[in-house]
Amino acid sequence: MPEPLIALRDVSRVYRRGADDVHALEHVSLTIAGGLFAALMGPSGSGKSTLLNLLSGIDRPSGGDVVVAGKRLNDLSEDALARWRSRHVGLIFQFYNLIPVLSALENVELPLLLTALDRRERLARARLALDVVGLGARAAHAPAELSGGEQQRVAIARAIVTDPDLIIADEPTGDLDARNADQILRLLLELSHELQKTVVMVTHDPRASEWVDIVFHLEKGVLKETYAGGAGKARAPATGGPP
Amino acid sequence: MKYLPFVFRNLFRNKLRTALTGGAIGLAMLLVCFFMTMPGGIDRLLSEISSNVRVSVHNKGGVVYDLPSAYVQRVRGIPGVAAVNGEVWFGGAYEDEGIVTFPSFAIDPDTVGAVWPDYGIDPLVLEKFRRQRDAVIVGRETMKKYRWRIGQQVSLVSTIWPVTLAFKIVGEIPNDRAPHFWMQREYLAQALEAQDRQLDTVGTIWVRVADPTLVHDVMTRAVAMFRNSPAEVNAETEKSFFASFFGSLQSFVQIILVVTGLVALCVLCIAANTASMAVRERSREIAVLRAIGFGRGVIFGMLVAESVVLATAAGSAGALLTYAFSAMIRTLSGSSMGGTEVGALTGFLVTREIVARGIALSAVVGLVAGIAPAWGAARRPVAETLREVF
Ligand SMILES: Nc1ncnc2c1ncn2[C@@H]1O[C@H](COP(=O)(O)OP(=O)(O)O)[C@@H](O)[C@H]1O
Ligand SMILES: [Mg+2]
């Protein structure tokens, strides 16, 4: 088995809220192999978003190690983390979070501004990414002119345009109807199974477990359960508990 | 540079607000540019006034009547008088007999520099004028009109005195509007003496007062001095009206400077307010950008650039408007029709330098206004901002 793309070792995250501490994550350890489609499930407030933030280097753990693609994120400075994210992570949010003043194409181009590519190459790649999500024809549209499902697909194009190893999605279907949700899930599955991206998705959708390779179940900041999803590509890539 | 299109998009995100802020900055810069002319303009005005603390004392009956030449020294004795020069009308005709085409006077060569310091006559010229009996100083207008050169000889036939005199031009009054032809009083006196006539009168006594505030006083005393004498006098000055404002003008300059500073501060607040609103309403987007991998430096730079671009564009528009306005005035006053009405006020016209300073000031305002909000936005922890919006 190849070295896991993601390895969390004994990770905790404590938030200070006034006088008391909120233990958003407590001693979570898990690994996820490269190319898997993983779901993070659990009730609201169980620490799913916190975990995603740690995986993507948006936040840092209070304790434990976060290792992604062989890099120990704990060691990186704020700016180094930003640079690392721009190369290795694609982010998808529940509310799409496209920039309203930019067209679909420009939104997708955005992460490429941080690269050395010139404008022509940037636009060519952005077009390609839009084609991948099936929105090549809507390139010039502003986000407000697109449906929720379309906006989320633009957001996915934006997440994959830099060709990252890891795609992180926080409730990407939470705001969509079933048909659009399926479309998004299928897209994420394809990214994982055809383009070998590692996709980690937080979801409340019980049907989502049918789409993914592996499900991590969190409760009150503790990793309670790990099981194979319906896509069935998981061949014991995950471990719960301390390594 | 590749971020610039994004910066512009953000500027046009809220067009009304951008327009209002831009309008405020532009208007304020317009004011600031006009204000910036004030210290220089008032300075110019003051120096003009102080050099024009010149009073003419002449016969009450009118300038065509003479005064006894002894009056010159008596006027010199009035407290506050810095210099005097008695002028005699020569009325010289140059080309056509009996036709006077420019004013020619016999004056005292020793006090020309002291009475007309504002004419800016070369001291070397004044020295030659003093030494050479037949020397004349001619205003540039007349020099040009007849294409005279310095060193040239010219003869005038007086329409007043029974003499024809040959002169040597030793220098000019460096002012395109000066027609004067000044000869030595002594030269005329000697020519008259040769005919057994005495030159013992003056036409106008020119007085330079030491201090603008004394002008009125000197004039009153001069008039009083010769009251009930055979030749009563009148005293006049063009600029005495301004002179009475002399003191208040100086404090006015200071007030203007303070007001300019306040206006600039006001613009700064407007720009800072806009910048912080722009940052606040976009905090989610900024967090998203940072999550995507935009570093703090890039975010900071883009937000500051937004503020600088807006302030500079708006400020430049305001500053250039003042320049266009000034250029228009300048053209009008330069043309023959507009005449000299603008006169001393040209000092209050906006120059290129002031426009450049206005634009630079706008850029600085934008920079300073943008720094704090941009810094705050760039420093906010991403995870927390993202959380707030989910
Ligand atoms: N920045 C924060 N400050 C304080 N408490 C936080 C912060 N972020 C998350 N929490 C708390 O941590 C817990 C887990 O939050 P989160 O990871 O957002 O849960 P989920 O995404 O599973 O709904 C919650 O109790 C939440 O209130
Ligand atoms: Mg969440």
Side-chain angles (χ1 to χ4, degrees), chain B residues 52-332:
Chain B
N52 271 301
V53 285
R54 209 163 24 236
V55 173
S56 73
V57 175
H58 49 79
N59 194 301
K60 200 175 177 179
V63 281
V64 293
Y65 296 100
D66 290 337
L67 296 172
S69 43
Y71 277 23
V72 176
Q73 281 321 305
R74 293 192 53 198
V75 170
R76 177 73 187 87
I78 297 173
V81 170
V84 292
N85 199 320
E87 172 187 88
V88 174
W89 177 248
F90 182 73
Y94 178 55
E95 285 171 330
D96 303 303
E97 198 183 323
I99 298 179
V100 176
T101 48
F102 50 85
S104 49
F105 298 100
I107 60 170
D108 173 7
D110 292 326
T111 59
V112 171
V115 175
W116 289 279
D118 52 313
Y119 280 24
I121 303 169
D122 186 345
L124 288 175
V125 167
L126 289 176
E127 182 55 34
K128 277 188 200 158
F129 186 43
R130 260 194 292 275
R131 276 204 320 255
Q132 257 171 269
R133 186 77 350 134
D134 62 347
V136 285
I137 298 177
V138 182
R140 196 174 276 165
E141 184 185 299
T142 301
M143 289 292 279
K144 277 190 176 161
K145 185 167 166 190
Y146 293 106
R147 299 218 179 78
W148 288 344
R149 281 161 290 105
I150 288 162
Q152 188 173 340
Q153 298 257 342
V154 289
S155 292
L156 298 191
V157 185
S158 177
T159 55
I160 305 288
W161 314 96
V163 293
T164 298
L165 295 178
F167 305 98
K168 185 158 188 232
I169 301 171
V170 296
E172 62 172 11
I173 302 168
N175 180 335
D176 283 334
R177 293 199 178 122
H180 317 52
F181 186 102
W182 276 342
M183 68 194 75
Q184 281 199 11
R185 176 183 172 86
E186 191 54 32
Y187 191 37
L188 174 61
Q190 285 180 2
L192 291 176
E193 224 161 276
Q195 302 181 24
D196 281 333
R197 293 187 55 156
Q198 248 209 313
L199 180 60
D200 54 6
T201 57
V202 290
T204 302
I205 302 170
W206 287 101
V207 180
R208 194 168 67 82
V209 182
D211 188 302
T213 56
L214 297 176
V215 168
H216 182 73
D217 201 35
V218 167
M219 284 168 48
T220 320
R221 279 175 194 248
V223 171
M225 181 176 266
F226 303 112
R227 187 163 292 142
N228 302 322
S229 76
E232 293 198 359
V233 302
N234 253 351
E236 265 176 35
T237 165
E238 316 150 6
K239 310 275 178 174
S240 57
F241 173 72
F242 279 120
S244 62
F245 280 125
F246 181 81
S248 54
L249 275 179
Q250 256 160 352
S251 41
F252 186 57
V253 169
Q254 263 145 28
I255 292 170
I256 287 290
L257 284 177
V258 171
V259 171
T260 308
L262 288 178
V263 171
L265 205 67
C266 182
V267 185
L268 186 73
C269 292
I270 292 170
N273 181 45
T274 298
S276 63
M277 283 200 312
V279 165
R280 183 146 356 112
E281 76 181 8
R282 253 184 274 153
S283 62
R284 159 156 84 165
E285 280 168 41
I286 291 166
V288 168
L289 286 177
R290 291 197 53 204
I292 285 175
F294 281 67
R296 287 178 293 189
V298 176
I299 299 283
F300 178 76
M302 281 202 296
L303 291 173
V304 169
E306 197 176 315
S307 171
V308 170
V309 165
L310 173 58
T312 309
S316 304
L320 287 171
L321 218 59
T322 63
Y323 187 71
F325 179 73
S326 296
M328 204 176 73
I329 298 275
R330 227 175 256 126
T331 318
L332 278 182

Side-chain angles (χ1 to χ4, degrees), chain A residues 24-59:
Chain A
L25 285 179
E26 287 185 277
H27 307 290
V28 171
S29 294
L30 59 82
T31 59
I32 302 173
L36 279 198
F37 187 8
L40 225 48
M41 300 183 83
S44 186
S46 55
K48 307 183 294 293
S49 295
T50 302
L51 187 60
L52 285 194
N53 285 346
L54 295 177
L55 285 184
S56 55
I58 286 173
D59 196 10

Side-chain angles (χ1 to χ4, degrees), chain A residues 53 58-59 78-79 82 85-86 91 93 95 97 99-103 106 110-111 113-115 122 158, chain B residues 2-3 6 9-10 13 284-285 288-298 380 382-383 386-387 389-390:
Chain A
N53 285 346
I58 286 173
D59 196 10
E78 171 99 21
D79 288 324
R85 278 201 300 277
S86 72
L91 288 168
F93 309 91
F95 298 109
N97 281 324
I99 307 294
V101 290
L102 299 180
S103 69
E106 289 164 331
L110 215 46
L113 288 178
L114 300 167
T115 65
R122 290 199 305 266
R158 179 176 68 184
Chain B
K2 59 187 168 186
Y3 301 107
F6 191 21
R9 289 295 177 79
N10 279 328
R13 172 185 296 250
R284 159 156 84 165
E285 280 168 41
V288 168
L289 286 177
R290 291 197 53 204
I292 285 175
F294 281 67
R296 287 178 293 189
V298 176
R380 281 192 82 181
V382 187
L386 279 176
R387 232 192 104 65
V389 298
F390 289 152

